[in-house]
Amino acid sequence: MRPLSLKVRMSLSVMALVLIIMTGVGGLTLHYYARSFRQLIASQQSTLLTQMAEHIDAQLTAAGDLIVTTANHFPLDDLKDADLTQTYLDKQLGLGTTTLFDNGIFVFTADGLMLAEHPFKPQRRGRDYSFRKYFQDTLRSGQPQISDPYISSQSHKHPAVNFTAPIRNGAGQILAVIAGSVDLTRKNFLGGLSDVHVGKTGYLYLYNTDRLMIMHPNPLRIMKKDVPLGANVAFDRAIEGFEGTEETVNSRGLHTLATFKQLNSKRWILAANYPTEEAFHPIKEMRRLFLIGLVMVLLFASAVTWVVTRILLTPLARLTEHVAGFSSDLVGKSANGRRQRDEIGTLALTFDRLMTEVTAQHQTADNRLAFLQGIMDTIPHPTYYNDLEGHFLGCNTAMQTLCGKPLAQIVGTTIYDHLPPGAAQQLINGDSALAAGAKVMKHEVNITLSNGESRCFLAYKDLLRDGQGAPQGVVCSLVDINELKAIETALAGERQFTLNLLQYSATPCFVLGLNHKILIWTRALEELSGTKGCDLVGTDLHWQAFYPAKRPCLADIVLDSDYDAAIELYPVLADSPLIKDSIQSESWLKLHNGKTKYLSFDAASIYDQQGKLVAVIETLHDLTNLKHVEEALHETQKSYQTLVDSSPDAILVHRQGAILYANQAAIKLFRATDKQTLTKRTLSQLLHPDCHEIAFKRIDEVEELRHEQLHNEETIVCCDDQLLNVEVGLSPTYYAGGGAVQSVLRDITLRKAEQERIWQQANFDNLTGLPNRNLFMDRLKQALGRCDREGHLAGLMFIDLDHFKEINDTLGHDNGDELLRQVARRMTDCLRQTDTVARLGGDEFTVILPILSSLNEVGLAAERLLKALKEPFALPDGIGRISCSIGGAIYPRDGKSIDDLMYVADASMYQVKQTGRNGYFAPPLE
C-alpha cells in the first residue's frame, strides 16, 4: 500500500479527532435520549392499559351487579309459566339492560332448559343448555358467574360472554338461572377494544390464563389458542402473574413493546402491542440526523484541513516532483544515507520504492496465475486443464472435491489415477476427438463418487492454445445434470400416469386422433356402451356404440369444424360454458348393448404446447335417472298446483320477496282483479310496514334454515289499500326450479275484534272507562318493577268520594252514575299522561304516580284532585257537589311490596275520613 502523504495524514488526523469528539458526545446524548424516550413510551402505554383495565373491570362488575339485581327481583310466580316469564322479560327489562347485554337475556330452568329469552326468537324455547359450562358453574357454586367466551347457539354463531346469577326462592333453593350475554363482535365494552389503537398500528387484545383469545382486532383469532408456549415469552410471563411493559417478539414474529395488566374481576389479562418499528421511530430518526450532521462536519473539517495543508506543503511537493526525475541517480545515495523523519523522509521512501520495481515485475506473472486460479476456484462445476499427453496441469476446488485429493496430489497425474476406468476412458476419448480437429464439444459421462453414489455429468471441452494458436492442452468443465435426468424420467412416468388416470376415470370418454381413429376408449365407456376398447382402438368405428348407421359424432364435428352438420344432426346443441372451442348436446339413445339412455355429450379440442390441434376428447354423462326425476317432478308440480288452487286458504309462493304464485283464495283475500295483479307486486308492498322487520326475519329463517313458522299474526295491505289482520303459516317448498317459501294466510279480523272486546271488558270499568282492579294491579306491578331497576320513587293514592251514598240515594242511580263518569274525567284531566287513574268499585278510585322526582309531588297531585272535584257537577236532574278523602303512600319508603303499599295508602285514606274528610294525608316533605 502506498504511504499516505503528509497532507492526507494531517487531514485524516483532524477528521479522526472531530469524529472521536462528536461520536462520543453524540453517542452519550443519543443513549440518554433513547433510554428516556423508551421509558416515557412504556410509562404512557402502561397508564393507558391500566385505565382500560379499570374501565373493563368496572363494566364487568356493573354487568354482573345488574344481572344479580334482576335475579333478586324476579317474580317467582312467573317462573311457573314460560309465557309469563317471556312477558316479564319483554315488558320489564329497560333499555339499559338490553343495550348492555346485546346478545340477549335468557332464563333457564334448574334443569338447563330454555324458559324464555329477550328478544324472543322462535323455535328455541325448551332447548337444553345444561351442557354449557357457565350454567354448570352457576349451579355448582350457587354464585353469580362471568363465563369464558363461547360460541353462541343463535343463528349468527358469534363468540359471546355470559353473566349469570341464580334465582332463588325464600328457602334459598335455586329455581332458575338468568343470564345476560354480550356479543364479542359488536361495539360494546368488550368488542369495542378492537377499535382502540396504540399509536397508528398498535392494538389491544384480551385473553385468559388458559391462553384462550377473548378479544382481538383480528376476529379470526377470537376463541383460538393460537399462541403456543414459548412463542411469546412476555405472553407466557403474564399468565404466571407478570404485570408491566417490556420488549418482546410476539407469536407472529413482530417486534413489539408489550404491556400486560391483570383484571381484578376475572382471571383475564389485558395486553397492548405497540410495534417497536413505530414506537421507536423518533430514536431512529434522531440517529439518522446525527449521522448526517456528523458527515457534514467531517466534510467541512476535511476541506479546511486540505486547503491549509496544501498551502503549507506546496514547496515540498515541488521538490518531490523535481527529485523524481533523477530517481535512478539518487537511489543509491538515498539507500545509503540516514533516513529523516520529516518531509525529507518522504523523498527517501520514494527512492526506496524504485528499488523494488524490478522485483514487482517478476512477481506479476505469478500474481496473474494466482488470479486465474482464484477465478477457477469460484466456478461451482469441477474444472481442470491438462496437456496433450493427458497429465493434469491444474484444477479448481470443485475438481479437488470430486477427486477427494488436494491440488498438489493431482498435478502431474492422469485422469485414470482419480476416476473409475470407465469414466476416465470416456473423458480421454473426448480429448482425442477434440485434438483431431473437432470444435468445442460436449458429451455425457457417468462418474461414481467416493461415497458410492453414481451421478451423471455433462462435459464441456475446448483446446488451450499458445500465442501462435498451436494446441497446448485441453480445458474441461463438468456440469452435474443428475437432477435434470431425473426430471426427464419423471416426465415420461407422468405421461403414463395421465393415460392411466384417464383410463380409470369414472367419466366415460374416448379420444380421436386427427385421422378420426380412436386413440383411447376408457373402461367406463366400455361399461356404459357395452363395446370393448380392444375391438375399437385404432379404428374409426366409434359410431357403432351409439348409432345403428354410420354418422359423425360430436368429436368428428369438432375435428372437421363442420358445425352446419352438427345443427342438422343434433337438435339440442350449445357451446360448452367451461371449455373453449368445445360443444355439447344431449338426447335419448339406444346403445350397442340394447339399453336406452339419456346422455349428455361434450367434445373438446386437445392442443400441444405450441397451440397445435393434436386430438379431440368426447365425454359422456348418463342423465337417465335425472330425466326420469324431472318428468316425475313436473307431474307432481301440476298435481300440487291443482290442489293449491282449490284450497279455501289464501296461498302465496314467493322467493326473496318476489311473488311467484297466488291461488284463487289469495286473489280474493287481497281484493285483486286477477293473479297477475298480485304477482306484479312485491312482498313488502303486501305487508304493512310495521310488520316488515319481524315478518322478513321469519321468512329469512324459512328460506335459509328450511324451518316452518306457524301461527304468526301480521297485517296485510290489500290491493284497494284496506288493512286486514291475518294469521300466517310459513313453510319451505320447491317451485319453478328452486327453493321458495309457501305462505298460508287466514283472515282473523273478526277474531281480533272479539279478542279486543274481551280484553277491554276484562281490564276496564264499563261505567267510567277507567282501568279496573285487574289492570290497576298490573300497572302497579310494572311501576314498582321500574322503580327497582331505575332507582326512583313511585306514589300510590287511594280516593274515596265523601257521602256518595247519600247523593246516590237522593238524586237517583242515573245521576249517581253520571256523577261517577264526570269525576273520572276530571281526575284524568288534572293528572299526567303517565299517571294511571283506576276505579276499584263503587266510589273507590286509585291513582298511580309511577315516577316521582320529590315527595311533595304526591301532595301537589292531591291538591289538584281536590280542587277539580270542588267545582259543581251538571247532572240530568240538577247540580251536584261532592268532595273526596285521599290517602297516599310512597314506594319504597312506606312498603316493599304491593300489599304493604296498598295497606298504607288505604289506612291513610281512612285517617283522613276520621279527621273530617275533604282532604288528603300528605307525606312528609323532603
Side-chain angles (χ1 to χ4, degrees):
M1 180 181 294
R2 182 179 179 182
L4 300 177
S5 66
L6 185 59
K7 292 184 293 183
V8 175
R9 291 202 303 273
M10 290 182 64
S11 300
L12 292 177
S13 299
V14 173
M15 286 189 291
L17 181 61
V18 172
L19 179 63
I20 292 172
I21 294 174
M22 288 195 64
T23 302
V25 174
L28 291 174
T29 303
L30 284 175
H31 176 72
Y32 175 78
Y33 169 78
R35 185 180 64 179
S36 300
F37 186 81
R38 289 173 184 268
Q39 292 174 350
L40 176 62
I41 292 295
S43 175
Q44 292 176 343
Q45 185 163 313
S46 179
T47 301
L48 170 64
L49 202 65
T50 299
Q51 293 175 349
M52 291 299 298
E54 292 174 354
H55 173 71
I56 294 174
D57 273 326
Q59 291 291 333
L60 290 174
T61 302
D65 292 343
L66 182 57
I67 206 70
V68 170
T69 301
T70 304
N72 292 340
H73 293 85
F74 204 98
L76 303 183
D77 292 337
D78 287 357
L79 295 175
K80 298 176 182 179
D81 186 274
D83 291 333
L84 291 177
T85 304
Q86 184 66 51
T87 301
Y88 178 84
L89 291 181
D90 293 340
K91 292 184 176 181
Q92 301 301 322
L93 294 182
L95 180 61
T97 306
T98 55
T99 301
L100 179 61
F101 302 112
D102 52 8
N103 198 44
I105 300 177
F106 316 96
V107 177
F108 306 99
T109 67
D111 298 326
L113 301 182
M114 171 76 76
L115 187 61
E117 64 178 336
H118 179 80
F120 174 76
K121 298 177 182 63
Q123 307 298 329
R124 287 170 54 84
R125 183 179 293 176
R127 289 187 180 181
D128 187 0
Y129 289 88
S130 60
F131 66 93
R132 290 290 196 187
K133 188 174 184 299
Y134 60 76
F135 180 84
Q136 297 173 357
D137 291 344
T138 305
L139 287 185
R140 181 173 57 254
S141 64
Q143 299 296 323
Q145 298 291 322
I146 303 177
S147 76
D148 283 326
Y150 68 97
I151 296 299
S152 175
S153 64
Q154 300 186 47
S155 58
H156 55 67
K157 301 301 181 183
H158 289 173
V161 171
N162 254 3
F163 296 77
T164 63
I167 301 176
R168 304 176 183 270
N169 59 14
Q173 180 184 4
I174 297 178
L175 301 180
V177 173
I178 187 169
S181 182
V182 178
D183 190 334
L184 295 181
T185 65
R186 297 179 181 171
K187 302 305 179 184
N188 46 52
F189 70 95
L190 289 177
L193 288 176
S194 60
D195 294 333
V196 179
H197 296 284
V198 182
K200 293 181 179 180
T201 59
Y203 58 90
L204 304 182
Y205 62 96
L206 187 65
Y207 66 103
N208 64 13
T209 54
D210 293 329
R211 318 184 79 84
L212 179 68
M213 197 66 67
I214 300 170
M215 197 62 235
H216 197 278
N218 182 357
L220 298 179
R221 296 190 62 185
I222 298 176
M223 296 288 294
K224 301 290 182 61
K225 294 184 179 181
D226 56 354
V227 184
L229 183 64
N232 186 339
V233 177
F235 185 99
D236 299 338
R237 291 183 59 207
I239 294 176
E240 298 172 358
F242 167 74
E243 287 186 327
T245 304
E246 68 178 23
E247 293 184 42
T248 185
V249 178
N250 68 10
S251 61
R252 300 307 188 261
L254 179 66
H255 290 263
T256 64
L257 187 67
T259 303
F260 300 88
K261 181 67 178 178
Q262 308 280 339
L263 298 185
N264 296 325
S265 56
K266 185 70 176 173
R267 290 176 54 83
W268 292 351
I269 302 169
L270 182 63
N273 276 351
Y274 194 7
T276 56
E277 180 68 22
E278 177 187 348
F280 302 145
H281 177 74
I283 299 176
K284 184 178 180 180
E285 185 66 17
M286 181 62 73
R287 289 173 178 167
R288 185 182 69 83
L289 295 175
F290 171 76
L291 292 176
I292 292 175
L294 180 62
V295 171
M296 293 178 65
V297 170
L298 287 176
L299 292 177
F300 177 78
S302 300
V304 172
T305 304
W306 181 264
V307 172
V308 173
T309 304
R310 184 178 181 86
I311 295 173
L312 294 177
L313 297 182
T314 296
L316 184 61
R318 292 176 179 174
L319 176 62
T320 302
E321 292 175 358
H322 180 71
V323 173
F326 304 98
S327 59
S328 58
D329 297 330
L330 298 177
V331 167
K333 299 177 183 179
S334 174
N336 296 328
R338 186 173 65 86
R339 299 290 178 90
Q340 300 182 23
R341 296 183 179 180
D342 52 14
E343 291 81 0
I344 304 303
T346 303
L347 297 175
L349 291 175
T350 303
F351 285 108
D352 289 340
R353 292 194 186 98
L354 295 177
M355 298 294 294
T356 62
E357 182 177 353
V358 175
T359 303
Q361 291 177 353
H362 284 291
Q363 292 179 344
T364 300
D366 294 337
N367 293 338
R368 289 178 179 174
L369 184 61
F371 175 72
L372 292 175
Q373 183 65 39
I375 292 177
M376 286 186 61
D377 286 340
T378 60
I379 298 175
H381 309 298
T383 303
Y384 67 89
Y385 51 96
N386 53 268
D387 56 23
L388 295 177
E389 287 74 28
H391 295 91
F392 283 113
L393 299 176
C395 66
N396 66 351
T397 304
M399 186 64 185
Q400 297 174 38
T401 302
L402 180 65
C403 296
K405 295 180 182 179
L407 180 63
Q409 297 181 17
I410 294 177
V411 174
T413 61
T414 66
I415 195 71
Y416 289 103
D417 298 324
H418 306 287
L419 296 180
Q425 187 61 47
Q426 292 180 41
L427 292 172
I428 291 298
N429 293 340
D431 292 350
S432 301
L434 196 63
K439 296 182 178 181
V440 177
M441 64 175 299
K442 61 181 179 179
H443 61 88
E444 293 184 9
V445 58
N446 293 309
I447 300 177
T448 302
L449 304 182
S450 57
N451 60 3
E453 179 184 3
S454 179
R455 301 190 70 84
C456 184
F457 291 86
L458 188 62
Y460 290 88
K461 295 185 177 181
D462 197 5
L463 288 175
L464 291 174
R465 302 179 184 272
D466 59 14
Q468 289 72 37
Q472 296 295 313
V474 175
V475 61
C476 176
S477 183
L478 302 173
V479 178
D480 191 342
I481 61 171
N482 207 62
E483 285 76 11
L484 182 61
K485 297 293 285 185
I487 292 174
E488 291 178 353
T489 302
L491 287 176
E494 184 176 330
R495 180 179 180 276
Q496 184 61 41
F497 172 77
T498 303
L499 292 176
N500 290 339
L501 184 64
L502 190 62
Q503 188 60 244
Y504 288 97
S505 171
T507 302
C509 65
F510 64 90
V511 179
L512 297 184
L514 298 181
N515 57 359
H516 294 270
K517 291 188 177 181
I518 302 172
L519 301 178
I520 298 175
W521 190 272
T522 65
R523 296 185 179 183
L525 186 54
E526 289 180 352
E527 183 68 23
L528 176 67
S529 64
T531 56
K532 296 294 184 180
C534 58
D535 299 332
L536 295 178
V537 172
T539 72
D540 58 357
L541 303 177
H542 46 281
W543 56 269
Q544 293 181 352
F546 313 108
Y547 308 108
K550 185 174 182 180
R551 55 165 285 179
C553 295
L554 276 187
D556 299 304
I557 291 172
V558 173
L559 278 174
D560 297 335
S561 298
D562 188 8
Y563 296 105
D564 292 336
I567 295 175
E568 296 178 0
L569 295 172
Y570 296 93
V572 180
L573 186 67
D575 293 332
S576 175
L578 301 178
I579 303 176
K580 182 181 178 182
D581 297 334
S582 63
I583 57 177
Q584 61 182 11
S585 180
E586 58 184 50
S587 64
W588 286 99
L589 290 178
K590 187 173 183 180
L591 302 178
H592 180 73
N593 56 11
K595 297 180 180 179
T596 300
K597 297 284 187 179
Y598 189 85
L599 300 178
S600 170
F601 315 93
D602 288 88
S605 303
I606 301 176
Y607 298 95
D608 60 13
Q609 293 182 347
Q610 288 73 37
K612 181 181 178 182
L613 180 67
V614 295
V616 173
I617 182 172
E618 182 171 335
T619 58
L620 301 93
H621 301 275
D622 186 358
L623 305 180
T624 306
N625 293 334
L626 179 61
K627 196 66 176 177
H628 290 318
V629 170
E630 288 181 353
E631 293 174 352
L633 182 61
H634 179 69
E635 292 298 326
T636 301
Q637 188 169 354
K638 289 174 60 179
S639 301
Y640 166 78
Q641 185 168 347
T642 301
L643 180 63
V644 169
D645 279 336
S646 62
S647 172
D649 290 327
I651 297 177
L652 295 178
V653 178
H654 47 89
R655 182 186 299 123
Q656 297 180 351
I659 306 299
L660 305 178
Y661 170 78
N663 69 349
Q664 293 299 321
I667 296 172
K668 181 179 179 181
L669 177 67
F670 284 94
R671 293 175 170 80
T673 56
D674 52 27
K675 184 182 299 184
Q676 286 71 25
T677 303
L678 279 182
T679 55
K680 288 180 180 179
R681 298 199 175 197
T682 63
L683 203 59
S684 59
Q685 293 174 316
L686 298 178
L687 286 173
H688 193 274
D690 294 343
C691 301
H692 281 184
E693 182 178 359
I694 186 64
F696 284 112
K697 184 176 181 181
R698 291 169 179 157
I699 292 172
D700 290 342
E701 290 184 4
V702 176
E703 285 187 333
E704 296 174 5
L705 305 178
R706 314 302 290 171
H707 291 165
E708 289 185 345
Q709 294 279 353
L710 304 177
H711 309 301
N712 301 310
E713 293 186 5
E714 296 171 3
T715 303
I716 62 173
V717 182
C718 298
C719 295
D720 58 1
D721 295 331
Q722 182 177 348
L723 302 182
L724 289 179
N725 293 318
V726 295
E727 182 180 74
V728 181
L730 303 173
S731 60
T733 187
Y734 187 87
Y735 186 85
V741 177
Q742 175 180 278
S743 294
V744 180
L745 302 93
R746 187 170 296 166
D747 188 352
I748 59 170
T749 304
L750 297 178
R751 189 177 75 187
K752 291 286 289 185
E754 182 64 18
Q755 290 176 348
E756 178 67 19
R757 187 184 65 80
I758 294 173
W759 187 82
Q760 287 286 339
Q761 290 178 350
N763 292 280
F764 288 88
D765 179 50
N766 291 332
L767 177 63
T768 62
L770 295 177
N772 61 14
R773 179 179 292 273
N774 290 334
L775 188 55
F776 160 74
M777 294 297 292
D778 181 69
R779 291 189 179 179
L780 181 59
K781 182 179 179 182
Q782 293 184 29
L784 301 189
R786 185 176 179 183
C787 290
D788 293 337
R789 293 193 302 273
E790 301 179 5
H792 54 69
L793 303 175
L796 175 64
M797 293 192 296
F798 270 33
I799 305 170
D800 190 81
L801 301 182
D802 297 331
H803 306 297
F804 175 75
K805 185 176 184 304
E806 290 82 348
I807 295 175
N808 202 28
D809 293 341
T810 302
L811 299 178
H813 292 288
D814 292 338
N815 288 282
D817 291 346
E818 178 60 24
L819 177 64
L820 291 175
R821 282 191 286 267
Q822 293 187 30
V823 166
R825 285 196 296 271
R826 290 190 186 185
M827 286 184 178
T828 303
D829 292 341
C830 69
L831 295 175
R832 301 172 300 184
Q833 291 184 351
T834 56
D835 300 336
T836 297
V837 180
R839 182 187 180 208
L840 300 187
D843 60 345
E844 294 181 358
F845 295 85
T846 61
V847 174
I848 302 172
L849 306 173
I851 299 177
L852 297 178
S853 58
S854 63
L855 292 176
N856 57 6
E857 285 190 21
V858 179
L860 294 176
E863 290 177 355
R864 290 198 301 271
L865 291 171
L866 290 172
K867 183 178 180 181
L869 299 182
K870 190 175 183 181
E871 298 296 327
F873 294 88
L875 302 177
D877 295 332
I879 301 299
R881 295 181 179 275
I882 200 167
S883 62
C884 65
S885 299
I886 303 174
I890 305 297
Y891 181 85
R893 187 195 68 179
D894 297 329
K896 300 294 186 180
S897 66
I898 293 178
D899 293 339
D900 293 342
L901 200 66
M902 292 179 66
Y903 175 79
V904 172
D906 188 54
S908 63
M909 181 190 70
Y910 278 103
Q911 186 176 352
V912 172
K913 282 183 174 292
Q914 293 173 0
T915 56
R917 293 183 172 83
N918 192 24
Y920 67 94
F921 183 80
L925 298 179
E926 295 177 313

